Amino acid sequence: MSFERITPHLSSDTVDSVETAILKAEHDQVKRAGRLHWVHWFIVGASFLLTLGAWYLVKSQEDEKRTLRFEKEAEQVVGLVSERMQKYEDALWAGVAAIRSQSHGIDYREWKLYSESLKIDVKYPGINGIGVIYHVPPADISAFLARERIARPDFNVHPAHDRGEFWPITYIEPVRANAAAVGLDMAHEANRHTAAKKARDTGKAQITGPIVLVQDAERTPGFLFYAPFYRGGTRHTVDERRENFVGLVYAPFIFKKLMEGVLAKENRRVGIRISDGADVLYDENIAEVAGFDPRPLFRKTIQVHEYGRVWDFQISSKLSFRHDETSRQPWLILAGGIVIDSLLLGLFVVLARSNRRALSFADRMSNQYQAQANRLSNIIENAVDGLVTVTEEGLVDSFNPACERIFGYRAEEAIGLHISRLIAGSEVEVEDEDGDGDKEIQNIGELLFLTSAIGVTRSGDRFPIDLSFSEITIDGRHLFSGIVRDITERDKAEKEILRSNLELERFAYVASHDLQEPLRMVSNFTELLRREYGDGLDSTAQKYIDYTCQASGRMQALVSDLLDYSRADSDSTGFEEFDSGEAVAVVLRGFEEQFEESGADVKVGALPVIFAGKMRFSRLLQNLVGNAVKYRDPGRRLSIQIDAKDQGSEWWFSIRDTGIGIMPQYLNQIFVLFKRLHRKDEITGTGMGLAICVKIVESFGGRIWAESEFGSGSVFYFSIPKSATQRGAR
Ligand code: ADP
């Protein structure tokens, strides 16, 4: 049977280097992940820009809305003032209409009634009063005064001036608050006079520039509001108007009051400052006014043309506006965004750091594994025994240098070969397919049962090997891992030992056998010498003869034991089935005399039928019982107990005595040839009895051992296998 060498498509080296490259690339990738990468910065940067964008968007929307609200509130304030002025104008024109409705013109009493019906203080807050100014040419002044003094004798026109015409305030209601104004001539002062004339010429309501009203004790800015009336109703040209002009319905205003009237109830968030040219008419934008904002969010100037005057409305947002309109939202968005960005950056840093930590941990681990792997491969590389792994298909997967030495293949040659090319024969029962005498491996699992086999080198040489295979799984692959040892040398040495042992035994046998005869002669003749001539010899000569007798006796015992020893296992084929109890009984009979002499008590338990050499078994028992008697304690009665115990595949025999016992340190030594624990003059012996026992027991396939308590007694055990197969080939 032959196996083709199978070449793998990809050598394992190539696979390893590809895997290493992939691992290295992954390692580098993880290492890069341990640093802050441009992607991280990009994400953080983009997120920050988004935050800024969101902040800017929300902020500009808020600003826009705020501006719109300010604009609206500013327009509203201006609108309110204009509306109120409109209302006052309406009151003036109503006055004009009231005068016109009286065909004779209006008198003091009628005006009083009319003005009371107006309910100025309720309906027109801010207005100081409503009155009538007549235009009186110089020629008519006396008649005018005379007429007015009928109802009011102290009526007077004042102050004196040289304008050549009179515009006296004739009626004014409520008169009490305006007493100082009664009779005041508008012509005395240019501002009042100019506006009055302008009202006359345009036919429209007009107001004066800022003046200080005579009735205002505080002397704050004010103005007069005029509405002209003509004879015969409305006139359309300046000339007609001048010709038919009668007078003016007028209302004095103290600006402060007007504004309070207009705006008092409004919960305004803007402050106004109204000026007429360089004159400030009204000003809320000063520190004394509650809610003034020294750095207003918004400020705006609106120019309004009011009844012949140009008023500048300067409108500034107040603190309440700032308070209401300062939205935290954009700043919250910005702060929130920055916090999130920082957290994101922190997260990246933490992630990168833990990546680095994981990598360094992995590095440490892999270094440790590498060191372990190095150690292992060192062990494998330098192992004295061959280490080989085999796949399930029977192909060599790895081959260490010791294998290279043993089999003569280089590893790369051997890898891929079928194991049968290396291990040809075996001791297990496998088929010899090609009839070359080798029982070949059929099934790869058989490897597990092989303990020795025949190795085949690259050059075809065959040699004995010891094997030990086991199953392993590496990376999910099922493999057989084996240790191979070349036992050529050991085999040789064992054979040599066997051969020299045999020679030695043969020599011992021959020597002891051949020595017996001359020894017997020496002993017999010495005995003869003593008997025949003993009486004639002096005591010294007799003593010498005694010594010679003793020595030759000992020598005989030694030689006889030596002969026994060398023959102890020679009769290895003489196995038979016999009753060990009977054999023991025969042996004990031989000791009866000694038992009686020593008063020994001998007990024998149930003994089995065994399969062994009967003669040798008897000799074994003889030695052990003999020792029990020999090494008895003179101070104690000797008991001997012989038993056998079923131990499954073996019988265990025991010979227990109550003798002197053996010290524990000598328990093993006593089985060694010639080893004795006593001097020959104390207790006689050759030191071979137990050595012979060992040989006999081993020839049965068993073993012998002893237990003892020094001073109390000893137990000698020996085992005998129950069947011949367990005995092995001896
Ligand atoms: P020996 O010829 O001296 O009896 P053995 O080989 O029979 O030689 O025994 C070796 C030694 O073992 C003995 O010298 C003795 O000290 C010790 N020994 C053997 N059997 C016993 C026993 N039953 N009790 C105590 N000692 C023993």
Side-chain angles (χ1 to χ4, degrees), residues 627 630-631 657 662 670 675-678 685-687 689-690 714:
N627 277 350
K630 192 157 63 167
Y631 298 106
D657 65 46
I662 304 159
I670 54 177
K675 181 71 190 179
R676 301 205 65 229
L677 304 181
H678 305 274
T686 59
L690 287 179
S714 320

Side-chain angles (χ1 to χ4, degrees), residues 609-645:
V609 171
I610 56 168
F611 187 74
K614 195 173 175 182
M615 290 286 289
R616 279 176 281 161
F617 180 80
S618 300
R619 181 64 207 264
L620 176 64
L621 261 294
Q622 221 169 359
N623 283 2
L624 294 176
V625 174
N627 277 350
V629 174
K630 192 157 63 167
Y631 298 106
R632 67 178 178 271
D633 186 338
R636 216 176 20 232
R637 188 174 173 206
L638 171 68
S639 303
I640 300 174
Q641 171 82 41
I642 303 175
D643 283 303
K645 217 166 134 192

Side-chain angles (χ1 to χ4, degrees), residues 201-203 230 233-241 244:
D201 292 349
T202 56
Y230 305 92
T234 310
R235 297 296 170 174
H236 299 290
T237 63
V238 176
D239 291 340
E240 272 180 5
R241 286 182 192 123
N244 297 293

Side-chain angles (χ1 to χ4, degrees), residues 129-148:
I130 186 159
V132 181
I133 297 168
Y134 281 109
H135 175 244
V136 187
D140 297 343
I141 188 70
S142 305
F144 170 76
L145 285 174
R147 194 180 69 222
E148 292 304 323

Side-chain angles (χ1 to χ4, degrees), residues 385-423:
D385 287 338
L387 300 172
V388 60
T389 53
V390 179
T391 65
E392 280 179 307
E393 292 76 38
L395 305 179
V396 173
D397 190 62
S398 71
F399 206 68
N400 78 337
C403 272
E404 292 183 329
R405 272 196 310 278
I406 294 170
F407 292 98
Y409 287 96
R410 278 182 291 117
E412 52 271 36
E413 292 174 321
I415 290 169
L417 281 184
H418 196 276
I419 191 67
S420 302
R421 295 273 293 274
L422 305 172
I423 300 171

Side-chain angles (χ1 to χ4, degrees), residues 57-261:
L57 196 76
V58 173
K59 189 174 163 353
S60 49
Q61 273 178 356
E62 293 274 333
D63 281 351
E64 203 175 314
K65 275 193 226 157
R66 218 156 40 165
T67 312
L68 281 175
R69 276 196 289 272
F70 173 76
E71 297 270 347
K72 197 172 144 210
E73 284 185 32
E75 301 283 345
Q76 229 168 27
V77 170
V78 175
L80 273 174
V81 174
S82 299
E83 200 180 294
R84 188 47 64 100
M85 293 296 282
Q86 183 75 52
K87 219 170 156 197
Y88 295 145
E89 186 192 353
D90 290 348
L92 292 185
W93 290 122
V96 168
I99 293 169
R100 250 199 249 139
S101 68
Q102 306 290 330
S103 54
H104 61 277
I106 204 157
D107 62 17
Y108 168 67
R109 200 178 40 85
E110 284 163 344
W111 183 253
K112 187 174 167 69
L113 281 175
Y114 165 71
S115 69
E116 275 169 7
S117 75
L118 277 182
K119 292 193 173 62
I120 292 172
D121 47 343
V122 181
K123 281 189 177 167
Y124 303 102
I127 203 167
N128 218 43
I130 186 159
V132 181
I133 297 168
Y134 281 109
H135 175 244
V136 187
D140 297 343
I141 188 70
S142 305
F144 170 76
L145 285 174
R147 194 180 69 222
E148 292 304 323
R149 282 176 182 164
I150 296 170
R152 296 171 293 168
D154 53 350
F155 178 79
N156 201 11
V157 174
H158 59 93
H161 59 82
D162 55 0
R163 291 259 160 72
E165 53 178 350
F166 301 95
W167 297 68
I169 296 170
T170 311
Y171 313 126
I172 174 80
E173 286 298 333
V175 77
R176 205 178 314 137
N178 294 287
V182 176
L184 186 73
D185 188 351
M186 295 298 102
H188 87 277
E189 186 257 331
N191 195 0
R192 289 177 172 82
H193 193 201
T194 310
K197 283 193 282 185
K198 206 170 167 192
R200 175 194 67 191
D201 292 349
T202 56
K204 289 183 179 161
Q206 293 290 315
I207 55 180
T208 65
I211 54 168
V212 173
L213 294 184
V214 288
Q215 54 270 59
D216 180 14
E218 286 179 44
R219 305 189 61 79
T220 60
F223 63 89
L224 301 181
F225 202 163
Y226 301 129
F229 57 95
Y230 305 92
R231 264 183 302 275
T234 310
R235 297 296 170 174
H236 299 290
T237 63
V238 176
D239 291 340
E240 272 180 5
R241 286 182 192 123
R242 285 185 178 172
E243 212 163 296
N244 297 293
F245 181 63
V246 178
L248 305 161
V249 172
Y250 102 105
F253 289 90
I254 295 170
F255 223 101
K256 205 168 75 186
K257 273 197 186 168
L258 165 83
M259 292 313 286
E260 277 162 10

